[in-house]
Amino acid sequence: MSPDARGTKAPPLLVLDDIRKSFGAVAALRGVHLELHPGEAHALVGENGAGKSTLVKILAGAHAPDSGRMTLDGHPLLLRGPADARSAGIAVIYQEPTLFPDLTVAENIFMGRQPLRSFRRIDTREMNRAAERLFDRLGVRIDPSRPARGLSIADQQLVEIAKALSFDARILVMDEPTAALSGVEVERLFGVARSLCERGAAVLFISHRFDEVFDLCQRLTVLRDGAWVSSDRTADLTVDEVVRRMVGRDVASLYPKQDAPLRDTLLEVRGLSRAGVFSDVSFSVRGGEIVALAGLVGAGRSEVARAIFGIDRHDAGEVRVAGRVLPAGSPRKAIAAGMALVPEDRRQQGLVMELSVERNATLARRRALSRLGLLSGGAERAEARQWTTRLQVKTSRLAAPVATLSGGNQQKVVLAKWLATRPRILIIDEPTRGIDVGTKSEVHRLLSELAGEGLAILMISSELPEVLGMADRVLVMHEGRLVRELSRDEADETSVMFAATGQGATA
């Protein structure tokens, strides 16, 4: 069993010892150790493919380990399915909540366990009261009688946590819960997690964001290639040490930004406005330059990108590519002009998950790869191989469904799809959301290389270190307006956040 890095005599609530799991010839877990203590938040980190998801599915009862031992309160724990996990007090909160949108909040919480009154009719009033009591315990206000449709991701996750409490969950597994949340929503979620720990629950927190890991968690376990590497108190660790353990090597820099000669202006945005969304946005991007669009979630950054690319129409203003006005509302003409957009949501907007890697990588080039209206399979394969090789996409075969790839490799396929069009302007929205630190470094290196080749890059990111590490200039938005422009030398965490909260000088 792994050494107890906690330095306390309190016995662990849950122990996983020498857990192994294989899928065919692939060893997903190779002797993993994990201890969760009551009243403590414990981080689980590792690159994509390190085994985190498999371990979560074992805890959720979706997979059974091939070998190893699990104990709860010192007694052997056998999970034959998700119902056994719930009965044992284990609840999992995933990055994408799975609520029934047309049912009420209370109905989602008590699905299959609704309180009944006479003639076996559902007691809606009592169900709503019970949901209110759960939200009171969490210190949040959500109307139990409202439909789940339209709830923010943050509120959906709180509903999932309330559901976990209704099962008297003692162990809460949070798998990338903050990927789509704003800073305020993250802090509220962390407040709930801390209150659960104060009541004696154990929290297992999985995230690629080290600032959140060190803020919330008291202990940290590292996995690499399916194997346990270490478990230590977070107070005894640094980010650099955690990164070294995760990737098995020194990452010289997460942000390998190289200076590139600035070329002609390729993208000009003049007075772009859309009623109720953004107003009078003006900026330019030159070839060889990475310009970051920063701001809080809801500031209008993604909406500006969609309008520039023509997905959404704007009410006023214009977009120019290499000096020529781009017709509004036409992504096809934007592509023809040399523009590419890597969207924020790669699964819903960037990929067709049922299609193969090679088909996804060439979707934007199908016309060019066709002869007399027929797609050439050989040309498609050669094009896909060229870009997946350059981007170091890890896949067993190009014909494999893109859904089988890790999140980081899916992001690379989206990049491959658009780079295959040989764009002059690349708009990339949240380039490294939900991917591991090693892949982040690869994506950053690629962006720097592309800028060096003369591309104009507009990068939208909610990760401030990424903005500061990769951008030549930072444009800060607040409530739909561009409020400040900062050079690379001027930009720091204070100046960007000051402007993003509406306290900065007008650009």
Side-chain angles (χ1 to χ4, degrees), residues 86 106-116 122 127 130 134 162-168:
R86 287 193 295 268
E107 287 168 338
N108 271 281
I109 292 173
F110 293 103
M111 173 59 64
R113 304 172 295 121
Q114 300 94 332
L116 302 176
I122 295 174
M127 184 169 62
L134 291 171
K163 187 192 302 183
L165 286 182
S166 74
F167 284 106
D168 295 322

Side-chain angles (χ1 to χ4, degrees), residues 24 34 40 71 77 92 99 118 134 145 239 250 270 277 304 319 334 337 350 414 466 475-476 484:
L34 182 69
E40 188 175 73
T71 61
L77 177 65
V92 180
L99 302 182
S118 58
L134 291 171
S145 63
V239 171
D250 284 329
R270 299 182 178 179
V277 183
V304 167
V319 177
V414 182
E466 184 169 69
L475 308 176
V476 188
R484 193 164 184 196

Side-chain angles (χ1 to χ4, degrees), residues 134-216:
L134 291 171
F135 289 131
D136 285 342
R137 286 177 60 186
L138 295 175
V140 298
R141 290 184 176 274
I142 299 178
D143 181 2
S145 63
R146 66 156 293 171
R149 186 182 301 278
L151 285 174
S152 68
I153 293 293
D155 284 343
Q156 290 181 54
Q157 287 172 334
L158 290 171
V159 174
E160 294 278 16
I161 293 176
K163 187 192 302 183
L165 286 182
S166 74
F167 284 106
D168 295 322
R170 303 169 62 201
I171 298 165
L172 184 64
V173 182
M174 304 174 74
D175 189 1
E176 290 283 353
T178 65
L181 304 188
S182 68
V184 173
E185 291 168 333
V186 168
E187 192 49 48
R188 182 173 67 161
L189 186 65
F190 282 9
V192 168
R194 292 185 182 106
S195 69
L196 292 175
C197 286
E198 289 170 1
R199 294 185 176 95
V203 172
L204 181 63
F205 181 68
I206 301 168
S207 177
H208 293 302
R209 298 179 174 179
F210 292 121
D211 54 340
E212 296 175 355
V213 164
F214 280 83
D215 181 27
L216 177 67

Side-chain angles (χ1 to χ4, degrees), residues 43-85:
L44 181 66
V45 301
E47 292 190 270
N48 289 336
K52 304 188 300 298
S53 296
T54 301
L55 191 64
V56 167
K57 289 175 181 176
I58 286 175
L59 289 174
H63 288 332
D66 296 334
S67 63
R69 184 173 65 100
M70 295 193 294
T71 61
L72 182 67
D73 285 326
H75 302 291
L77 177 65
L78 177 63
L79 303 178
R80 301 180 183 87
D84 282 354

Side-chain angles (χ1 to χ4, degrees), residues 341-346 349-350 411 414 418 427-430:
L341 170 64
V342 177
E344 176 182 14
D345 188 339
R346 59 178 170 260
Q349 300 170 2
Q411 182 75 334
V414 182
W418 287 112
I427 303 173
I428 185 164
D429 195 350
E430 301 292 357

